[in-house]
């Protein structure tokens, strides 16, 4: 259950950061590529999740 909650938290944080970046860029008139942005968001979420559970794996 801990891993599910950590994954949900990481996903929420990455989505909020992505939303803020998109709003800022849209206000400045910059169009972002959706495929690249989505891929980078997913990769960042995976790395953040792996970083959060790394300490748990080392303690076991």
């Amino acid at each position: 259950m801990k891993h599910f909650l950590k994954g949900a938290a990481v996903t929420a944080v990455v989505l909020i950061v992505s939303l803020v970046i998109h709003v800022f860029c849209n206000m400045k008139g910059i169009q972002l590529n959706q495929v690249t942005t989505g891929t980078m968001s997913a990769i960042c979420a995976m790395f953040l999740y792996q970083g959060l559970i790394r300490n748990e794996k080392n303690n076991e």
Side-chain angles (χ1 to χ4, degrees):
M1 188 66 164
K2 289 181 187 177
H3 291 286
F4 178 75
L5 293 175
K6 286 181 184 180
V10 167
T11 303
V13 168
V14 168
L15 287 176
I16 290 169
V17 169
S18 178
L19 178 77
V20 169
I21 291 171
H22 278 356
V23 167
F24 177 77
C25 289
N26 283 338
M27 286 174 33
K28 299 295 181 182
I30 301 169
Q31 296 297 321
L32 298 176
N33 187 353
Q34 294 175 356
V35 175
T36 306
T37 306
T39 304
M40 291 306 296
S41 295
I43 290 172
C44 289
M46 287 190 308
F47 284 138
L48 286 172
Y49 177 73
Q50 289 296 324
L52 284 175
I53 66 169
R54 181 179 303 150
N55 292 336
E56 229 177 78
K57 287 182 181 179
N58 290 338
N59 291 337
E60 290 178 359

